[in-house]
Amino acid sequence: MDLKTLNRIDKLRRLKSRGPQTPKWLKPYHLLIVAFLAVFTFGACIKILELNQQ
């Protein structure tokens, strides 16, 4: 194998060992905000459904 092929294999191995990069919107504090908004909207939907039932 020539040097170019070896370098390519080494680069692929390093990328693979690092694993997939976490998207910026999946950081822990962003997850907290998303979870809060989900609970808030879910609660609002339930309240609206309860008002429509009466």
Side-chain angles (χ1 to χ4, degrees):
M1 275 191 267
D2 59 343
L3 191 59
K4 191 175 180 182
T5 309
L6 286 174
N7 282 338
R8 192 182 301 132
I9 291 170
D10 187 45
K11 186 178 178 184
L12 286 172
R13 190 183 303 124
R14 269 189 273 127
L15 284 173
K16 199 175 181 182
S17 68
R18 219 181 326 163
Q21 208 172 14
T22 307
K24 287 189 174 170
W25 57 271
L26 259 182
K27 301 278 192 243
Y29 53 92
H30 288 142
L31 276 178
L32 284 174
I33 294 169
V34 170
F36 175 76
L37 286 175
V39 169
F40 181 76
T41 53
F42 190 67
C45 289
I46 289 176
K47 287 287 181 192
I48 290 171
L49 287 173
E50 282 179 354
L51 288 173
N52 284 344
Q53 296 261 331
Q54 292 176 355

